[in-house]
Amino acid sequence: MVVVMAASIVALIGAMALSTDVGLLYYNWGMLQKAADSAVLAGANSLPSNPSDAIATANRFAAQNGVGAAETISTTVAADDMSITIHLTRTVPYLFARVVGLSAGLVTVNATAGLLGVGSVNGMLPVGIDSRTTYTYGQEVSLLTGQYGPGNWGPLALGGSGASNFASNVQNGYSGTISVGQMLTTETGQMVGPTRSSFNARLTAGVNGFPGGTFANHSIDDTRIVTVPMVNFANINGSSQVPVLGFAELWLVGMDSHETITTYFINQVTVGTPSSTAPDYGAWQVTLIK
């Protein structure tokens, strides 16, 4: 029995080393993978307009999740600024495997998050942008100027019609979900008072809550960022139905005495559902690619 026990001790220690140290490796791999996933998901919110901030944010989130500076191999943004990738590694000291001459193991993880167009959004501004015009990043866009048809202007009736409903949707964003392909009703009438008060309230909240923000450099929570639907305003007459073709992002700048709202066309992550088939109008959702 003594001989058998002596012979089996090595095997027992080896099994203990295998179960304990492999478990330790797996635990660290899981923690590192979660840190990598959360890092790129956070960083991708700054894409595509601010890749340097995306990298800084990803590295900061990795550090907050216990990743040491030496454990970050690289954090890179793709050439088209549409995705971010992080590579992490960690040396895990063995406990029992030292008996059989093994001192440590290495775990390495990768994670990539990217941007997809949005198929549906929440919190949308009740103002449509005519899809027949092509816009580019940083281009000035004027809202509520002129008539798209008899009795119509840019506003849309979301969740109801009338000045009070419109003003609430401007200031807070429409609470419902709007999807690509959905038909929306145009809002008739020149609602001067509600337009001025609601847009000014939203602009003031952005200026006071996020001072120093600009269309090119801002917090993603700034209330001056608005999601708008790209719609086809052709052939409307009075209260009409218009199709939603996609979604865009605008940065509110100000309003003149004629109720013309000045904005900039931007690229921005928004609240919504990602879609691989949605048209690209500048509104994005972050998704984990790998």
Side-chain angles (χ1 to χ4, degrees):
M1 291 295 294
V2 172
V3 174
V4 172
M5 288 295 296
S8 63
I9 285 177
V10 175
L12 290 172
I13 292 176
M16 185 181 299
L18 180 65
S19 61
T20 303
D21 291 331
V22 169
L24 191 60
L25 277 175
Y26 184 77
Y27 171 79
N28 276 272
W29 173 86
M31 296 299 290
L32 210 60
Q33 187 65 63
K34 290 179 181 179
D37 292 346
S38 64
V40 293
L41 286 171
N45 281 282
S46 297
L47 298 178
S49 58
N50 200 334
S52 59
D53 185 66
I55 292 173
T57 300
N59 288 337
R60 184 172 68 252
F61 267 71
Q64 291 173 352
N65 281 280
V67 178
E71 295 178 327
T72 302
I73 301 173
S74 64
T75 308
T76 56
V77 170
D80 61 359
D81 294 333
M82 293 296 288
S83 64
I84 181 172
T85 300
I86 194 168
H87 299 273
L88 305 177
T89 187
R90 175 172 292 170
T91 299
V92 181
Y94 287 139
L95 299 176
F96 296 99
R98 294 176 182 273
V99 177
V100 293
L102 301 176
S103 60
L106 189 68
V107 291
T108 301
V109 302
N110 307 309
T112 300
L115 304 179
L116 284 178
V118 288
S120 61
V121 301
N122 302 95
M124 192 178 73
L125 193 75
V127 176
I129 304 299
D130 199 335
S131 62
R132 294 170 295 178
T133 301
T134 300
Y135 300 98
T136 57
Y137 174 77
Q139 179 179 343
E140 185 176 302
V141 181
S142 295
L143 303 181
L144 315 184
T145 55
Q147 300 281 325
Y148 289 120
N152 287 280
W153 44 317
L156 300 167
L158 304 180
S161 61
S164 177
N165 180 72
F166 174 74
S168 176
N169 286 337
V170 168
Q171 189 167 340
N172 306 306
Y174 175 54
S175 60
T177 300
I178 302 296
S179 302
V180 172
Q182 188 171 340
M183 302 296 289
L184 302 179
T185 303
T186 58
E187 182 76 81
T188 57
Q190 300 282 340
M191 299 175 291
V192 176
T195 296
R196 176 168 292 281
S197 62
S198 57
F199 272 101
N200 279 337
R202 186 152 189 163
L203 284 163
T204 300
V207 172
N208 292 339
F210 305 90
T214 67
F215 83 90
N217 186 15
H218 52 259
S219 166
I220 62 172
D221 300 323
D222 198 308
T223 57
R224 286 168 288 184
I225 303 168
V226 294
T227 303
V228 293
M230 300 296 293
V231 301
N232 187 349
F233 278 112
N235 304 318
I236 62 173
N237 185 16
S239 181
S240 303
Q241 295 283 299
V242 292
V244 177
L245 304 182
F247 302 96
E249 296 292 301
L250 301 178
W251 173 264
L252 296 178
V253 178
M255 179 189 302
D256 65 17
S257 59
H258 301 289
E259 279 65 54
T260 297
I261 294 94
T262 301
T263 72
Y264 287 115
F265 199 83
I266 60 175
N267 298 314
Q268 183 71 46
V269 171
T270 188
V271 178
T273 303
S275 170
S276 59
T277 60
D280 174 14
Y281 288 114
W284 308 98
Q285 253 295 301
V286 174
T287 184
L288 193 63
I289 299 174
K290 63 178 181 179

